[in-house]
Amino acid sequence: IGVRTAPIEDKSRRLGKLIDSLEASIPAGDAKHTDWFHFARGWAELKVMSNEDWGLSEEQRERLVKLTQKLDESFFAWIQRRFAGLIQLPPTPPVMVHHIPRFLSNSLLSPHHSSLRSPAKLALLVIDGLALDQWLVVREALASKQPGLRFREQAVFAWIPSLTSVSRQATFAGKAPIFFP
């Protein structure tokens, strides 16, 4: 008695379903920023799966290329329409990197404003140039080594152009780049 599995076929089926789901859920031009955050998570999972060495079919490769092009067009249109307004949003929850310091400060000073529940210590780790799909791999490795680790994850937008140094400075300064000396 047992269960026979076919790991490659299972991964291929999962990848196909994820592509189907993402093709149908690319946020529209009038979408909220939270729609893009949600989509980004699925996109990162797709990137992790497609980068694993198990053999994508030619059809899957073509679908990924088409999906990437459609995604780029849709996100670019959304950025042109909606990105400028993100700076005005409140820092709780943070939407852009410059919101992070105020959010963390509020979390420590006002526990009822945060689900962090007034931690004794709080750490902000900034890993420049780490894409969301890469974070999923790192997080999985950390969790397997330290099962007691707890992660509180939330996506935020970087500044455009997404030069690492600009977003890093905005993260630590708590200000939009226009206010840098």
Side-chain angles (χ1 to χ4, degrees), residues 66-82:
K66 288 178 185 176
L67 178 58
T68 301
Q69 290 169 344
K70 186 176 176 184
L71 169 60
D72 287 346
E73 291 168 7
S74 186
F75 189 59
F76 184 71
W78 184 85
I79 287 290
Q80 289 179 311
R81 243 183 239 122
R82 303 289 302 264

Side-chain angles (χ1 to χ4, degrees), residues 3-180:
V3 177
R4 178 183 281 175
T5 62
I8 292 176
E9 290 82 3
D10 183 49
K11 282 186 179 188
S12 181
R13 188 173 39 257
R14 285 179 46 221
L15 182 76
K17 295 283 187 191
L18 190 52
I19 292 172
D20 291 343
S21 172
L22 291 173
E23 284 174 338
S25 66
I26 293 177
D30 60 344
K32 297 177 183 175
H33 64 278
T34 53
D35 296 334
W36 279 105
F37 289 157
H38 180 73
F39 183 86
R41 178 58 183 236
W43 179 250
E45 290 175 16
L46 177 64
K47 299 264 303 182
V48 170
M49 284 185 70
S50 64
N51 286 331
E52 291 175 349
D53 187 24
W54 54 274
L56 290 173
S57 70
E58 190 58 38
E59 180 212 352
Q60 289 170 326
R61 289 182 202 284
E62 289 174 16
R63 288 185 71 196
L64 283 171
V65 168
K66 288 178 185 176
L67 178 58
T68 301
Q69 290 169 344
K70 186 176 176 184
L71 169 60
D72 287 346
E73 291 168 7
S74 186
F75 189 59
F76 184 71
W78 184 85
I79 287 290
Q80 289 179 311
R81 243 183 239 122
R82 303 289 302 264
F83 187 80
L86 297 178
I87 189 175
Q88 303 302 328
L89 294 173
T92 304
V95 175
M96 296 192 72
V97 292
H98 73 281
H99 293 150
I100 294 171
R102 205 163 357 146
F103 171 76
L104 294 177
S105 176
N106 288 343
S107 298
L108 288 172
L109 299 174
S110 305
H112 65 279
H113 288 294
S114 170
S115 61
L116 293 176
R117 296 193 185 112
S118 192
K121 295 180 182 180
L122 185 63
L124 169 65
L125 301 178
V126 177
I127 305 172
D128 288 343
L130 187 72
L132 186 54
D133 59 305
Q134 295 167 328
W135 164 247
L136 294 180
V137 174
V138 170
R139 186 199 61 208
E140 185 178 318
L142 290 171
S144 70
K145 300 277 188 221
Q146 293 288 326
L149 280 178
R150 292 184 338 205
F151 299 96
R152 184 176 185 275
E153 301 168 311
Q154 185 167 333
V156 293
F157 284 99
W159 276 94
I160 295 176
S162 60
L163 298 171
T164 297
S165 60
V166 173
S167 283
R168 182 187 330 113
Q169 189 174 358
T171 300
F172 289 111
K175 298 178 184 176
I178 195 168
F179 298 113
F180 295 167

